[in-house]
């Protein structure tokens, strides 16, 4: 026995030593990866090893304190899914080395002491106060709230005020079934003792912030947010919603039925928690066109310029973001793939937790602990940490979802055993787009049951707001969105109407009634929608949701499908069988619901029309089910329902008061001046507005047709129409007949009160688009009077020679062949110059110059456009034309640089002085480039006197002329109408955004010098603190114009490559081509950023154009870079001196960070305008600031007078500036 012992002892010692070494190595490895969860694994059963002991099983409802051992064991009685176990120490170490993540100490500004720093989260939860809080909650709510707890936290006086004031809390209609509680943690800083919020919905739970772990309430909120299992261990379901969401709950579209929302997320996807994707929105990712961590970090840091409380330490946030960026850089690990390409980015303001099983309880607990650990150690921005926690937890996107366009869709993240754990709803469902709860549930996968096993739901009172549903069904190809939102939905929203937009669109081609019309094959959707890049059109869907939200409306339902399946619909299947028995040799659809059997051609066309009509009304009926479901779920009823066609083009603003003022059940267009006229048996069916009480007839019109004996409609027709039974009622006759049978009161409104027409967008050869009227209605009373010159030019589609446009174009038909050089339109002459033509060469015969012979790949887009404009390039894109050297053109492969002209600032003397020069010297020279136009201005009617300004009236109404002018110039240039976006901002709105900032800039003291920090006191031209406000107003206007441009780019699914910024208060004395470096040099390769060469103090800060990435810094980063400029500038007392800031900080950043050189164009000249018909004509020839090339040789007074057509007189100001004051008569000057 002793021998055996002596033999085995050394072996046992070796084994024991190995165990000790492995254990120590494991502990060291976990502590080594302090800041990272990379070594953690979350299998479905969460059989997980972490640092520090705590046990959580099905039989335990809270985390128990154990010994201070450095190992934490989580057990579970769940045996459904086998645990995969934790990663080994060697695996963890290998992954950590590959991720190149060295040990990192905690960066958090709050240093909460912990026995084990790596286990601080568990120590926090073991605090006496939190356990007392947990017990208090249990005693009060355990027996009341087992089914569902919806909770949030409003910590601090500002947020707490929201819960105690009806001014903040939105009036809401909420399902409150037994077993559900709405709770809000508050700090009760005012000692009110309230137990309910002001709306009576939320129970208030008071906490003592002094006893919470952190000083900063943002961090204390995270403890509550990420530990639902600790706070409510007895609840089956838990939903977190930020208190900020309650301020605009109705606007955001938050759930009215939270149990139903739980079923539509957790139950549908069989996951443990559900989040909402971080949206493509300026609040989330700034100006970025992509949603990623870098863009989100940049947006949050930029927001700190105006809202310092976004984080308790911005420097820590920067380092936190950089840490993740470095950690996942150039890694081939799965976690890096998840982080960068699986889009695990969320808005954490709304989280749904399933706590019914130990699997999910443990997963949510472990995930929350890892998440909170990142926040404890780094920045308090939890959305920054989330993608890292997902990636390092070895979760990954489900393989079937790893497809193109995954960022647009719902995403499910699975564990290593392929169990679904986390759901992230598609980003277009975000509450910024106002339809959050509705969007969560796709129509084709509807879940409607929220109260299984529950009874007696309680609802809050309904609102008294007018509610309107807008229903649109049709094809994407014919779809008109922009005018409906701008001229119908938007004006209703402006009147305080709550508008819900329901739309169903199909993408498959359908045989038209008049399919022989050539243009039908060339229809395209609204040009403002993005070109679809994904088979399921989720990119188009996201754009529609964003655009609807901008008009302060909500999407009620949105479906884009290949086709509407009527072939399996039971009522139609049965009718077709009966028809074939009776007429076996006919198309089964040629007699229902419309009959026209005069000849074979009309019979077949009618069969096509019937199928289209049935698809239309079947789609409407599907939408109607969504309408009634919304009413039922949200406990309200629409007042009116508008049924629109897909091709509805609104030509003017719709005023719903004209509908409300009638006592009719149904409102339709009178259309009594139509050509050809309506028959007395017809109602126009292009648009129909119904009171809700009668709307079911039209919402269920598809079924109504099958319940109706349509032959009875034919029997009441006169013989000249029925033609011995060969013709029945058309769709407009059926409408009138059914309305009559229902005894509805009908009101016919004039077209001026319903200002729309059914129209088409037709894509011409060469890529241009024109609009034409597909149908045209007019009325005798209240006729539609078109005053817009652009709209006046829209023709009837049937009157356009489409055959000639699409079929008969040949190379011999050059559109300007008969014109001399002097008679060429502006855009044609510009195109000719681009190709090397001059007056003599053109007039001798407009053959391409021999010097132009070059291969296609060497041509610029502008040369190609010039060829197309002059007709040398085939419009069909199928023929080929040899140039002088035999080169061939293939226009279908060409793309054009997208550009935007952005105007900003206060429109001083805009209509009289600035606008004529903008038209002459900006819009015309750039019209060939088809740039979009963005304007941001201030709605200020009068300006006080200032530094170089005597003050006076501001003509802000002048922008109403802007759109018409742009349309005319586009037509003259042979281009389609560009997008024009004009947004005004009041002084009050500006001060709400930047008032505190302005005050800070005006009063902040530099502690080292005791002098003003931001005010440029060293420059004698800065005399008033009001100048600081003017600077901030300008920066805001520039930045807002940029954001409007970026938002539009997202909407249309495009990116701008060339961008220009111009002052609105300027008279442009010389032509400015945004692709010119100077008068002789073009920048068609888009390489240089251009600023003016005059007014150099030390540089000109008044204008820029160039590549988008270069201009972005100029337009959006002035607030962001200001502190760095002031800290590093060598001269004291210049703070926010605009030109010095530009020269020292902004322009170098453009060159260093984008690689684009900044060049001064010495041929650009513009004068600042001032209120009262005046300009400062010395701007371009200042002795210090520099002189524009050739200005000494120009009679500047005559130049101004020739453009503005006013008499002008020159005089000097007290500041040595030469002012030119103009008026209609010299005597009045």
């Amino acid at each position: 026995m002793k021998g055996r012992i002596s033999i085995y002892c050394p072996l046992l010692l070796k084994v024991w030593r190995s165990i000790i070494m492995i254990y120590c190595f494991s502990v060291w490895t976990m502590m080594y990866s302090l800041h990272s969860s990379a070594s953690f694994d979350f299998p479905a059963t969460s059989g997980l090893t972490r640092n520090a002991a705590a046990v959580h099983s099905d039989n335990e409802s809270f985390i128990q304190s154990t010994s201070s051992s450095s190992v934490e064991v989580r057990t579970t009685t769940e045996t459904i899914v086998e645990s995969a176990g934790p990663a080994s120490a060697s695996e963890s170490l290998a992954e950590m080395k590959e991720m190149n993540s060295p040990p990192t100490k905690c960066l958090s500004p709050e240093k909460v002491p912990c026995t084990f720093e790596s286990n601080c989260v568990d120590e926090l939860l073991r605090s006496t106060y939190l356990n007392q809080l947990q017990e208090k909650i249990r005693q009060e709510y355990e027996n009341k709230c087992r089914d569902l707890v919806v909770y949030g936290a409003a910590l601090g006086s500002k947020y707490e005020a929201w819960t105690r004031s009806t001014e903040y809390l939105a009036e809401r209609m909420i399902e409150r079934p037994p077993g559900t509680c709405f709770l809000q943690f508050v700090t009760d800083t005012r000692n009110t003792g309230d137990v309910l919020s002001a709306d009576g919905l939320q129970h208030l739970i008071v906490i003592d912030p002094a006893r919470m772990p952190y000083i900063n309430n943002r961090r204390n909120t995270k403890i509550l947010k990420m530990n639902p299992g600790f706070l409510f261990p007895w609840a089956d379901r838990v939903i977190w919603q930020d208190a900020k969401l309650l301020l605009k709950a109705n606007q955001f579209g938050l759930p009215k039925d939270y149990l139903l929302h739980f079923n539509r997320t957790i139950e549908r996807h069989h996951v443990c928690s559900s989040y909402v994707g971080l949206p493509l929105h300026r609040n989330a990712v700034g100006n970025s066109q992509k949603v990623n961590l870098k863009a989100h970090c940049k947006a949050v840091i930029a927001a700190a310029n105006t809202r310092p409380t976004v984080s308790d330490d911005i420097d820590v946030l920067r380092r936190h973001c950089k840490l993740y960026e470095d950690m996942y850089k150039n890694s081939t690990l799965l976690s890096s793939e998840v982080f960068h390409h699986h889009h695990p980015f969320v808005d954490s303001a709304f989280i749904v937790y399933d706590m019914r099983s130990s699997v999910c309880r443990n997963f949510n607990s472990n995930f929350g602990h890892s998440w909170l650990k990142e926040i404890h150690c780094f920045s308090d921005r939890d959305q920054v940490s989330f993608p890292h926690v997902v990636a390092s937890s070895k979760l990954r996107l489900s393989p079937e979802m790893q497809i193109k366009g995954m960022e647009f869709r719902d995403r499910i993240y699975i564990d290593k055993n392929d169990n679904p754990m986390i759901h992230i709803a598609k980003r277009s469902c975000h509450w910024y787009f106002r339809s959050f709860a509705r969007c969560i549930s796709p129509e084709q996968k509807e879940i409607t049951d929220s109260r299984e096993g529950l009874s007696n739901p309680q609802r809050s009172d309904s609102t008294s707001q007018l509610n309107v549903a807008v229903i649109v069904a049709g094809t994407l190809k014919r779809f008109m969105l922009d005018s409906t939102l701008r001229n119908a939905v938007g004006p209703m929203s402006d009147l305080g109407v709550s508008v819900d937009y329901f739309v169903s669109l199909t993408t498959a081609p359908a045989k038209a009634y008049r399919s022989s019309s050539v243009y039908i094959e060339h229809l395209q959707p609204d040009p403002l929608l993005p070109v679809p890049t994904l088979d399921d059109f989720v990119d188009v869907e996201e754009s529609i949701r964003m655009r609807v939200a901008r008009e302060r409306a909500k999407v009620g339902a949105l479906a884009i499908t290949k086709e509407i399946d009527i072939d399996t619909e039971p009522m139609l299947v049965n009718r077709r069988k009966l028809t074939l028995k009776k007429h076996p040799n006919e198309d089964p659809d040629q007699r229902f619901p419309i009959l026209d059997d005069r000849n074979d051609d009309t019979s077949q066309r009618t069969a096509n029309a019937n199928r289209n009509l049935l698809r239309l009304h079947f789609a409407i009926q599907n939408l109607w089910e969504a309408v009634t479901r919304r009413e039922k779920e949200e406990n309200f009823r629409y007042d009116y329902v508008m049924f629109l066609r897909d091709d509805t083009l609104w030509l003017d603003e719709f005023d719903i008061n004209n509908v409300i003022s009638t006592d009719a059940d149904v409102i339709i267009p009178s259309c009594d001046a139509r050509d050809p006229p309506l028959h007395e048996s017809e109602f126009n069916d292009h648009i129909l507005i119904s009171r809700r009480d009668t709307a079911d007839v039209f919402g269920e019109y598809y079924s109504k047709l099958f319940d109706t004996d349509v032959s009875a409609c034919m029997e009441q027709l006169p013989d000249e129409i029925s033609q011995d039974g060969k013709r029945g009622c058309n769709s407009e006759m059926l409408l009138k007949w059914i309305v009559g049978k229902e005894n509805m009161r009908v009101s016919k409104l004039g077209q001026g009160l319903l200002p729309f027409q059914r129209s088409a967008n037709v894509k011409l050869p060469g890529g241009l688009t024109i609009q034409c009227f597909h149908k045209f209605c007019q009325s005798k009373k209240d006729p539609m009077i078109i005053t817009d010159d652009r709209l006046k030019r829209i023709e009837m589609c049937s009157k356009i020679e489409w055959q000639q446009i699409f079929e008969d174009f040949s190379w011999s038909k050059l559109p300007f062949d008969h014109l001399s050089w002097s008679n060429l339109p502006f855009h044609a002459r510009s195109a000719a110059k681009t190709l090397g033509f001059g007056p003599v060469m053109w007039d001798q015969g407009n053959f391409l110059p021999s010097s132009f012979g070059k291969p296609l790949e060497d041509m610029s887009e502008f040369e190609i456009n010039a060829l197309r404009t002059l007709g040398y390039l085939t419009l069909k894109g199928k023929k080929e034309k040899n140039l002088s050297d035999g080169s061939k053109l293939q226009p279908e492969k060409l793309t054009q640089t997208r550009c935007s002209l952005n105007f900003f600032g206060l429109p001083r003397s805009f209509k009289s002085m600035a606008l004529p020069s903008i038209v002459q010297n900006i819009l015309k020279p750039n019209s060939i480039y088809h740039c979009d136009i963005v304007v941001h201005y201030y709605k200020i009617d009068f300006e006080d006197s200032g530094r170089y300004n005597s003050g006076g009236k501001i003509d802000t109404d002048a922008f109403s002329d802007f759109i018409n002018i742009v349309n005319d110039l586009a037509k003259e240039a042979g281009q389609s109408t560009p997008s024009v976006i004009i947004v005004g901002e009041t002084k009050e709105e500006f001060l709400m955004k930047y008032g505190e900032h302005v005050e800070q800039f005006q009063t902040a003291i530099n502690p080292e010098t005791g002098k003003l920090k931001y005010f440029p006191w060293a420059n004698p031209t800065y005399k008033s603190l009001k100048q600081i406000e003017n600077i901030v107003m300008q920066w805001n206007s520039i930045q807002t114009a940029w954001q409007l441009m970026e938002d539009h780019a997202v909407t249309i699914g495009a990116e701008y490559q060339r961008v220009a910024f111009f002052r609105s208060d300027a008279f442009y004395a010389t032509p400015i081509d945004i692709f010119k470096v100077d008068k002789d040099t073009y920048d068609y390769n888009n390489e240089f950023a251009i600023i003016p060469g005059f007014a150099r103090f030390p540089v000109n800060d008044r204008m820029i154009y160039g590549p988008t990435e270069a201009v972005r810094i100029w337009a959006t980063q002035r607030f962001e870079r200001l502190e760095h400029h002031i800290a590093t500038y060598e001269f004291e007392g210049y703070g926010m001196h605009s030109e010095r800031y530009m020269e020292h900080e902004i322009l170098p950043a453009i060159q260093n960070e984008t690689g684009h050189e900044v060049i001064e164009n010495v041929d650009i000249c513009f004068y600042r305008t001032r209120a009262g018909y005046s300009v400062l004509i010395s701007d371009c020839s200042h002795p210090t600031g520099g002189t524009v090339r050739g200005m000494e040789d120009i009679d500047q007074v005559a130049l101004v007078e020739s453009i503005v057509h006013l008499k002008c007189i020159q005089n000097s100001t007290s500041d040595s500036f030469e002012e030119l004051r103009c008026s209609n008569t010299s005597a009045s000057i």
Side-chain angles (χ1 to χ4, degrees), residues 487 642 650 652-659 661-662 667-670 687 689 747-756 778-779 781-785:
N487 287 333
M642 299 177 66
W650 292 87
D652 204 348
E653 289 192 359
F654 165 67
D655 186 353
I656 195 170
N657 287 312
N658 293 318
V659 172
S661 62
T662 72
I667 295 91
I668 59 174
S670 63
I687 182 174
I689 305 174
S747 176
K748 298 181 182 180
L749 293 187
Q751 208 67 25
L753 304 182
L754 293 172
F756 80 97
Q778 188 56 287
S779 57
K781 181 182 178 183
D782 297 321
M784 181 169 60
I785 301 173

Side-chain angles (χ1 to χ4, degrees), residues 277-428:
L278 194 67
L280 186 65
H281 189 278
R282 63 177 177 270
N283 291 354
V285 293
N287 300 317
S288 175
Q289 295 302 297
K290 295 182 179 180
V291 176
N292 54 39
L293 184 66
K294 184 177 181 180
H296 181 55
C297 288
K298 187 175 180 181
V300 176
I301 293 169
N305 291 320
T306 56
R307 192 161 57 94
T309 57
V310 296
S311 178
D312 58 5
D313 194 313
I314 294 300
D315 183 60
V316 169
L317 175 59
R318 287 193 181 95
R319 294 166 69 185
H320 191 188
C321 294
K322 185 67 163 56
L323 178 69
Y324 290 154
E325 184 179 339
D326 293 342
M327 183 184 302
Y328 292 100
K329 185 186 298 182
N330 302 322
S331 174
T332 58
L333 289 175
L334 173 62
S335 56
S336 184
E337 174 73 13
V338 172
F339 187 90
H340 287 299
H341 303 297
H342 290 185
H343 303 278
F345 306 104
V346 302
D347 190 322
S348 61
F350 196 100
I351 309 172
V352 186
Y353 295 107
D354 184 8
M355 310 299 285
R356 293 172 296 179
S357 69
S358 60
V359 171
C360 283
R361 284 197 299 274
N362 288 334
F363 172 81
N364 289 331
S365 175
N366 292 333
F367 191 91
H369 280 214
S370 294
W371 195 4
L372 189 56
K373 177 178 151 186
E374 294 297 304
I375 293 165
H376 170 75
C377 214
F378 301 106
S379 85
D380 57 357
R381 300 295 302 188
D382 53 22
Q383 291 170 188
V384 170
S385 303
F386 185 86
H388 163 69
V389 178
V390 171
S392 61
S393 301
K394 296 185 180 179
L395 297 173
R396 70 190 191 281
L397 186 63
S398 180
E400 62 265 24
M401 294 184 174
Q402 295 180 32
I403 57 177
K404 182 182 179 183
M406 68 180 83
E407 67 271 23
F408 293 100
R409 302 185 174 90
D410 280 57
R411 299 181 294 283
I412 305 296
Y413 295 84
I414 60 177
D415 65 8
K416 67 191 304 180
N417 293 328
D418 297 336
N419 300 307
M421 305 306 290
I422 288 177
H423 163 245
I424 299 180
K426 59 187 176 184
R427 66 193 193 191
S428 62

Side-chain angles (χ1 to χ4, degrees), residues 1000-1060:
Q1000 177 192 358
F1001 289 151
Q1002 290 176 333
T1003 60
I1005 301 297
N1006 186 333
E1008 296 180 1
T1009 65
K1011 296 183 179 181
L1012 290 172
K1013 177 180 180 181
Y1014 299 100
F1015 184 79
W1017 48 266
N1019 188 306
T1021 64
Y1022 284 82
K1023 303 173 182 178
S1024 168
L1025 292 177
K1026 179 71 166 61
Q1027 292 169 253
I1028 292 294
E1029 182 180 81
N1030 292 341
I1031 291 173
V1032 179
M1033 288 182 70
Q1034 184 189 74
W1035 292 4
N1036 170 61
S1037 187
I1038 292 170
Q1039 192 164 286
T1040 304
W1042 179 277
Q1043 191 58 59
L1044 292 168
M1045 179 193 75
E1046 290 279 16
D1047 288 349
H1048 183 65
V1050 172
T1051 300
I1052 62 177
E1055 294 185 4
Y1056 292 103
Q1057 290 86 37
R1058 191 84 169 179
V1059 177

Side-chain angles (χ1 to χ4, degrees), residues 499-519:
V499 183
D500 289 345
Y501 189 73
F502 297 79
V503 60
S504 172
L505 302 170
T506 58
T507 60
K511 196 75 169 177
Y513 179 69
R514 291 182 175 86
S515 56
S516 59
S517 299
V518 176
Y519 75 92

Side-chain angles (χ1 to χ4, degrees), residues 878-896:
K878 296 179 181 178
K879 301 179 181 179
E880 295 175 344
K881 173 66 177 180
N882 289 338
L883 302 183
S884 54
D885 68 342
S887 302
K888 295 182 179 180
L889 298 174
Q890 297 174 308
E892 63 273 13
K893 296 182 180 179
L894 300 172
T895 58
Q896 182 175 351

Side-chain angles (χ1 to χ4, degrees), residues 917-1062:
S917 72
I918 289 172
V919 173
Q920 180 70 28
N921 287 325
I922 295 180
L923 298 184
K924 281 188 175 181
N926 295 287
S927 60
I928 192 173
Y929 304 139
H930 194 240
C931 300
D932 292 333
I933 295 172
V934 176
V935 178
H936 176 269
Y937 70 98
Y938 287 106
K939 298 178 180 178
I940 298 176
D941 297 328
F942 190 89
E943 183 184 30
D944 298 329
S945 59
R947 182 163 54 147
Y948 306 125
N949 178 28
S950 59
K953 184 179 179 181
I954 306 294
D955 49 349
T956 56
D957 294 335
F959 286 109
S960 59
D961 301 327
F962 207 63
I963 297 177
N964 293 338
I965 292 170
V966 171
N967 293 336
D968 292 339
L969 289 175
K971 185 173 180 65
E972 182 182 336
Q975 300 279 3
S976 59
T977 303
S979 299
V980 180
I981 301 158
I982 301 176
V983 173
E985 182 175 327
T986 65
K987 183 68 171 290
E988 291 73 20
E989 290 170 332
F990 162 75
L991 290 175
M992 286 183 65
K993 290 195 295 184
Y994 286 103
E996 294 181 3
H997 232 58
V998 170
E999 183 178 358
Q1000 177 192 358
F1001 289 151
Q1002 290 176 333
T1003 60
I1005 301 297
N1006 186 333
E1008 296 180 1
T1009 65
K1011 296 183 179 181
L1012 290 172
K1013 177 180 180 181
Y1014 299 100
F1015 184 79
W1017 48 266
N1019 188 306
T1021 64
Y1022 284 82
K1023 303 173 182 178
S1024 168
L1025 292 177
K1026 179 71 166 61
Q1027 292 169 253
I1028 292 294
E1029 182 180 81
N1030 292 341
I1031 291 173
V1032 179
M1033 288 182 70
Q1034 184 189 74
W1035 292 4
N1036 170 61
S1037 187
I1038 292 170
Q1039 192 164 286
T1040 304
W1042 179 277
Q1043 191 58 59
L1044 292 168
M1045 179 193 75
E1046 290 279 16
D1047 288 349
H1048 183 65
V1050 172
T1051 300
I1052 62 177
E1055 294 185 4
Y1056 292 103
Q1057 290 86 37
R1058 191 84 169 179
V1059 177
F1061 271 84
F1062 302 101

Side-chain angles (χ1 to χ4, degrees), residues 77-350:
T77 58
E78 189 75 47
T79 57
I80 299 175
V81 181
E82 181 182 354
S83 170
S88 69
S90 58
E91 288 173 344
S92 299
L93 184 60
E95 177 160 337
M96 186 167 55
K97 287 180 178 179
E98 187 169 352
M99 290 176 66
N100 190 28
S101 57
T104 305
K105 69 176 184 179
C106 287
L107 304 175
S108 170
E110 294 212 34
K111 306 303 180 184
V112 178
C114 296
T115 306
F116 291 93
E117 184 68 23
S118 62
N119 187 34
C120 232
V121 172
D122 293 314
E123 287 199 35
L124 294 178
L125 293 180
R126 287 198 297 269
S127 75
T128 301
Y129 177 67
L130 287 179
N131 279 275
Q132 289 173 348
L133 178 64
Q134 180 203 55
E135 178 60 20
K136 177 183 176 182
I137 295 171
R138 186 192 65 77
Q139 292 178 7
E140 179 68 23
Y141 297 106
E142 180 176 10
N143 295 324
K144 301 176 184 177
C145 318
R146 287 189 177 277
D147 290 320
L148 171 66
V149 171
V150 181
Y151 79 115
L155 307 187
S157 58
K158 173 184 175 182
Y159 302 102
E160 188 176 313
W162 298 351
T163 66
R164 304 186 188 282
S165 172
T166 54
E167 295 180 8
Y168 290 103
L169 294 176
E171 184 181 4
R172 301 180 64 197
M173 302 168 288
I174 301 295
E175 290 273 5
R176 292 183 287 180
T180 296
C181 291
F182 294 83
L183 309 178
Q184 194 75 221
F185 289 97
V186 297
T187 47
D188 199 18
T189 56
R190 301 179 185 177
N191 297 314
T192 63
D194 294 340
V195 295
L196 290 175
S197 58
D199 60 0
L201 176 63
Q202 301 162 83
H203 294 266
L204 305 183
I205 301 175
V206 178
I207 65 171
D208 182 355
R211 301 182 65 189
M212 292 293 285
Y214 299 112
I215 298 173
N216 188 289
N217 277 327
R218 287 182 59 85
R219 292 184 181 272
N220 287 328
T221 297
K222 310 305 180 189
I223 293 178
L224 304 173
K225 180 179 188 174
M226 295 170 184
N227 287 282
F230 173 78
L231 295 170
F232 318 108
W234 31 262
D236 288 341
R237 306 166 186 85
V238 181
I239 294 178
W240 165 273
Q241 62 179 3
D242 276 10
K244 66 185 179 185
L245 298 182
L246 301 179
L247 302 188
K248 298 180 179 179
N250 289 329
Q251 175 181 317
F252 287 152
L254 293 188
K256 305 298 174 66
D257 185 335
Y258 284 81
L259 280 168
L260 180 59
H261 188 90
F262 181 94
N263 289 348
R264 287 172 169 170
T265 51
I266 298 295
E267 292 287 7
R268 165 173 287 134
H269 301 292
H270 310 292
V271 292
C272 290
S273 57
S274 175
Y275 301 78
V276 182
L278 194 67
L280 186 65
H281 189 278
R282 63 177 177 270
N283 291 354
V285 293
N287 300 317
S288 175
Q289 295 302 297
K290 295 182 179 180
V291 176
N292 54 39
L293 184 66
K294 184 177 181 180
H296 181 55
C297 288
K298 187 175 180 181
V300 176
I301 293 169
N305 291 320
T306 56
R307 192 161 57 94
T309 57
V310 296
S311 178
D312 58 5
D313 194 313
I314 294 300
D315 183 60
V316 169
L317 175 59
R318 287 193 181 95
R319 294 166 69 185
H320 191 188
C321 294
K322 185 67 163 56
L323 178 69
Y324 290 154
E325 184 179 339
D326 293 342
M327 183 184 302
Y328 292 100
K329 185 186 298 182
N330 302 322
S331 174
T332 58
L333 289 175
L334 173 62
S335 56
S336 184
E337 174 73 13
V338 172
F339 187 90
H340 287 299
H341 303 297
H342 290 185
H343 303 278
F345 306 104
V346 302
D347 190 322
S348 61
F350 196 100

